[in-house]
Amino acid sequence: MQTTFTEKQLEDSGTARANEILRACVHCGFCTATCPTYQVLGDELDSPRGRIYLIKDMLENEREPDAKTVKHIDRCLSCLACMTTCPSGVHYMHLVDHARDYIEQKYKRPFTDLALRWILARILPYPMRFRVALLGAKMGRPFARFMPDARLRAMLEMAPKHIPPVSRNDDPQTFAPQAPRKMRVALMTGCAQKALNTDINDATIRLLTRLGAEVVVAEGAGCCGALTHHMGKTSESHATAAKNIRAWAAEMDNGGLDAIVINTSGCGTTVKDYGHMFRNDQLAKDAARVAGIARDVSEVLIELTGSASNGTEWQPAREWIAGTDAKPLRDRPAEGMVVAYHAACSLQHGQQIKTHPKTLLKKAGFTVVEPKDSHLCCGSAGTYNLMQPEISKQLKERKVQTLEAKNPDVIAAGNIGCMMQIGSASAVPIVHSVELLDWAWGGPKPPALEGRALEKDAVPILR
């Protein structure tokens, strides 16, 4: 694509990066075939190619964003399926993130939009505030249908029936390995996940330590910044991300780290991009170091178990027992259980991790099935299901139908947002992949499997 940015405009690093990305686009339109919003709405401006034209025009002319441009940019899920499909390597993520930052600075949103976005940015990244908000939403659920704004209704309807107690495992501390030490890792405990489902971090810690990893929960680490970053609130997202960078860099300099383990794939995509986000910051060097060792939990488990795609056999019922006090597995709980694997967009497109979770689940004895159109988003996408509830609902219904068509015993995913989204519309229990793997290695049965719902429930079946 030909661009006409001036030399002065290109002095801005964000604009210079946008120029590189725009020039890589060849207008081929392959991205439209995998764009969820284009599939649902059928509008060229709601496809990556259409949004690229809007962003180019806005940035080149340095004009104030108009309502039309903002509407179509806001409708983007940032699922990044277009990046997987693009034959030219267009880095759409950096482009749309820059556009959102530009819009946040220059566009005057309606008061209701401003208020809702302000509230979400002040609540979701803070676990205790989020817990209080969930309690309020739980009480307000019966009155959701009276809310005039669909976004407010969506916020109330997404509140789970059960809010788990705080897990002390999320406090800063170190967990010793239960087998000969193979690595030292930091676990990112996150923000919203700590309020919605404490089972995930608990299972991750049990699993990693059982396999020989020393697990550190670093003092000062918290929200990765993704939620506010994708709302265009750059200063806020960088402030929370900077805390993580300092906390993990300190661990790297003191006890050393082999990896930063992330079990929420949306967070993982952002942390792996810290090097780019902080490229012009005084934290640039440490940000690059942190991004360089950031790993999805499935990547680390593949390394710990030797379960790469080289055909290496792995028997979880035996390998971890030597050198520990743990008891052998009980009759392979995985045998005969059909798991429908939902590939979170941030994992398969954002991080290009497509096989690891399925490999691990299969090696553990589960029968793994995948839904039709597994590349399409479920409609969660951070705050998207709260800010764009109509489109999100259509994508959710499509995803649930394709998953349930496989008649699974359980649905597994690697992202809490997807779990909440799918769980709010499916009768099939949904758990994180690490919960199933922890169970296969002798851990407790995932709470969501203890009382499988017989009828569809509007509330996510997480516990």
Side-chain angles (χ1 to χ4, degrees):
M1 178 181 287
Q2 189 174 29
T3 59
T4 58
F5 290 102
T6 66
E7 289 186 11
K8 183 173 178 57
Q9 286 177 310
L10 294 176
E11 290 176 1
D12 176 76
S13 64
T15 302
R17 177 61 176 144
N19 182 53
E20 293 173 0
I21 298 166
L22 290 168
R23 283 179 173 270
C25 179
V26 296
H27 325 276
C28 67
F30 281 16
C31 55
T32 61
T34 56
C35 176
T37 52
Y38 183 72
Q39 296 294 311
V40 169
L41 301 172
D43 187 336
E44 173 75 12
L45 294 179
D46 284 311
S47 73
R49 183 170 62 180
R51 293 186 181 108
I52 284 173
Y53 278 113
L54 290 173
I55 293 170
K56 176 180 180 293
D57 176 64
M58 178 177 69
L59 296 180
E60 276 187 338
N61 295 302
E62 295 184 332
R63 63 175 177 82
E64 291 189 7
D66 55 40
K68 176 183 177 182
T69 299
V70 173
K71 176 180 73 173
H72 293 295
I73 300 301
D74 283 352
R75 282 178 174 176
C76 175
L77 292 138
S78 281
C79 70
L80 309 181
C82 54
M83 286 179 58
T84 296
T85 309
C86 181
S88 303
V90 175
H91 204 301
Y92 179 81
M93 182 177 79
H94 287 168
L95 181 65
V96 76
D97 283 347
H98 179 64
R100 285 173 171 150
D101 174 75
Y102 185 92
I103 289 169
E104 183 69 12
Q105 294 181 47
K106 297 182 179 293
Y107 182 64
K108 187 175 182 180
R109 292 181 179 274
F111 175 76
T112 53
D113 285 6
L114 279 174
L116 285 172
R117 292 165 71 87
W118 184 89
I119 290 171
L120 290 174
R122 297 299 180 282
I123 291 177
L124 296 184
Y126 304 94
M128 291 312 298
R129 296 182 196 176
F130 191 27
R131 282 179 175 275
V132 173
L134 287 173
L135 288 171
K138 183 178 177 181
M139 291 186 286
R141 273 182 61 87
F143 309 102
R145 64 183 183 276
F146 300 115
M147 290 292 171
D149 193 313
R151 294 170 297 183
L152 291 175
R153 290 198 297 274
M155 291 179 190
L156 293 177
E157 290 169 356
M158 282 299 291
K161 282 182 179 177
H162 177 81
I163 302 171
V166 174
S167 173
R168 296 275 65 100
N169 287 336
D170 292 330
D171 296 340
Q173 59 192 295
T174 298
F175 297 89
Q178 298 178 27
R181 193 177 105 160
K182 297 179 181 178
M183 61 172 63
R184 185 175 189 264
V185 303
L187 174 65
M188 194 190 98
T189 55
C191 52
Q193 181 170 282
K194 289 200 292 189
L196 292 166
N197 188 341
T198 57
D199 298 322
I200 299 171
N201 285 342
D202 290 349
T204 302
I205 293 167
R206 286 193 300 265
L207 190 53
L208 290 173
T209 55
R210 198 179 292 132
L211 290 169
E214 179 181 352
V215 180
V216 178
V217 178
E219 180 77 43
C223 174
C224 70
L227 292 170
T228 46
H229 180 65
H230 296 306
M231 294 169 71
K233 298 181 181 295
T234 302
S235 60
E236 294 177 34
S237 68
H238 280 215
T240 52
K243 293 179 181 177
N244 285 337
I245 293 169
R246 293 189 182 97
W248 291 327
E251 288 293 340
M252 293 169 74
D253 292 336
N254 295 324
L257 290 177
D258 296 295
I260 295 165
V261 179
I262 305 167
N263 57 20
T264 300
S265 60
C267 301
T269 301
T270 297
V271 175
K272 288 183 177 183
D273 202 44
Y274 276 0
H276 171 77
M277 290 169 60
F278 286 82
R279 65 195 183 282
N280 299 316
D281 190 273
Q282 61 182 2
L283 287 174
K285 184 177 179 180
D286 282 341
R289 291 170 62 205
V290 164
I293 63 168
R295 299 286 184 273
D296 181 72
V297 63
S298 65
E299 294 180 279
V300 176
L301 291 174
I302 285 287
E303 182 175 347
L304 285 171
T305 61
S307 300
S309 56
N310 58 9
T312 303
E313 285 301 320
W314 162 47
Q315 296 295 329
R318 300 287 179 266
E319 288 191 3
W320 62 270
I321 298 174
T324 74
D325 295 327
K327 296 179 181 179
L329 273 179
R330 311 168 302 280
D331 300 327
R332 296 296 294 274
E335 292 294 341
M337 180 168 282
V338 178
V339 179
Y341 174 67
H342 164 70
C345 295
S346 46
L347 194 59
Q348 64 170 324
H349 303 308
Q351 300 182 52
Q352 292 294 305
I353 297 173
K354 298 179 171 64
T355 61
H356 288 350
K358 293 179 289 185
T359 297
L360 290 162
L361 289 169
K362 289 174 183 177
K363 291 285 188 178
F366 295 100
T367 299
V368 180
V369 296
E370 291 185 85
K372 179 183 177 183
D373 297 328
S374 60
H375 63 280
L376 291 179
C377 185
C378 69
S380 173
T383 60
Y384 192 91
N385 54 359
L386 303 177
M387 299 303 291
Q388 301 285 339
E390 294 87 357
I391 301 172
S392 175
K393 183 178 180 182
Q394 293 182 62
L395 293 171
K396 174 173 67 176
E397 291 174 349
R398 175 184 293 193
K399 181 61 68 175
V400 168
Q401 287 175 5
T402 58
L403 284 165
E404 292 187 341
K406 295 294 182 177
N407 296 313
D409 297 303
V410 62
I411 299 169
N415 189 63
I416 184 63
C418 302
M419 292 171 63
M420 293 295 296
Q421 176 82 342
I422 295 168
S424 68
S426 177
V428 181
I430 183 163
V431 300
H432 196 289
S433 302
V434 296
E435 294 183 81
L436 291 177
L437 295 171
D438 175 48
W439 183 32
W441 257 299
K445 187 175 184 180
L449 299 181
E450 292 290 356
R452 176 172 176 171
L454 299 178
E455 299 179 359
K456 285 190 176 181
D457 193 326
V459 180
I461 307 168
L462 297 178
R463 289 181 66 89

